[in-house]
Amino acid sequence: QVQLVESGGGLVQAGGSLRLSCAASGGTFSYYHMGWFRQAPGKEREFVAAIRWSGGTTYYADSVKGRFTISRDNAKNTVYLQMNSLKPEDTAVYYCAASRSLYTPPRSSYEYNYWGQGTQVTVSS
């Protein structure tokens, strides 16, 4: 059983930056692909970014490509999401998730096995 705890959310002005962290425990972190998702009020949870278990390949939603960077440190059991040039439409609760998928890191939330509790990101205009 893997436990995930996000941190780093907060209130930021448009154009600003935040760095989210997700610390994992209770499992072998390097076995899992890791993903970030977000959910805004009244909207479905959506894929943001994902990274292979090895850290060698990353994937992004078109809406964040070029602004967000996902990375991981397997020695620290932590995955990060660096968010730059934030926009009001990035406002959401951000969740990290772990997937046991044998293939490329999935974009579907249904293929993730463990989830954190979420951290709020609010971008003011």
Side-chain angles (χ1 to χ4, degrees):
Q1 189 80 7
V2 176
Q3 291 82 46
L4 302 172
V5 179
E6 302 97 337
S7 61
L11 173 64
V12 64
Q13 288 188 331
S17 298
L18 282 175
R19 188 194 197 201
L20 305 184
S21 300
C22 173
S25 61
T28 303
F29 181 70
S30 60
Y31 286 179
Y32 297 89
H33 300 317
M34 297 298 296
W36 285 97
F37 289 77
R38 67 186 182 186
Q39 188 166 18
K43 295 187 177 181
E44 293 189 354
R45 190 169 298 188
E46 65 173 356
F47 170 78
V48 175
I51 187 167
R52 282 182 66 85
W53 61 270
S54 61
T57 309
T58 55
Y59 304 85
Y60 297 94
D62 288 344
S63 59
V64 306
K65 200 172 294 182
R67 300 188 297 122
F68 291 10
T69 302
I70 187 171
S71 62
R72 67 189 294 164
D73 185 338
N74 285 348
K76 295 183 178 180
N77 291 352
T78 302
V79 62
Y80 306 96
L81 185 67
Q82 177 67 45
M83 305 185 295
N84 298 329
S85 302
L86 282 161
K87 304 175 181 180
E89 51 263 43
D90 295 318
T91 295
V93 177
Y94 283 70
Y95 300 89
C96 71
S99 171
R100 292 196 300 257
S101 172
L102 298 178
Y103 307 106
T104 57
R107 293 174 178 255
S108 170
S109 61
Y110 295 104
E111 297 188 64
Y112 283 80
N113 305 98
Y114 304 103
W115 291 84
Q117 83 290 349
T119 185
Q120 176 71 45
V121 172
T122 303
V123 184
S124 63
S125 58

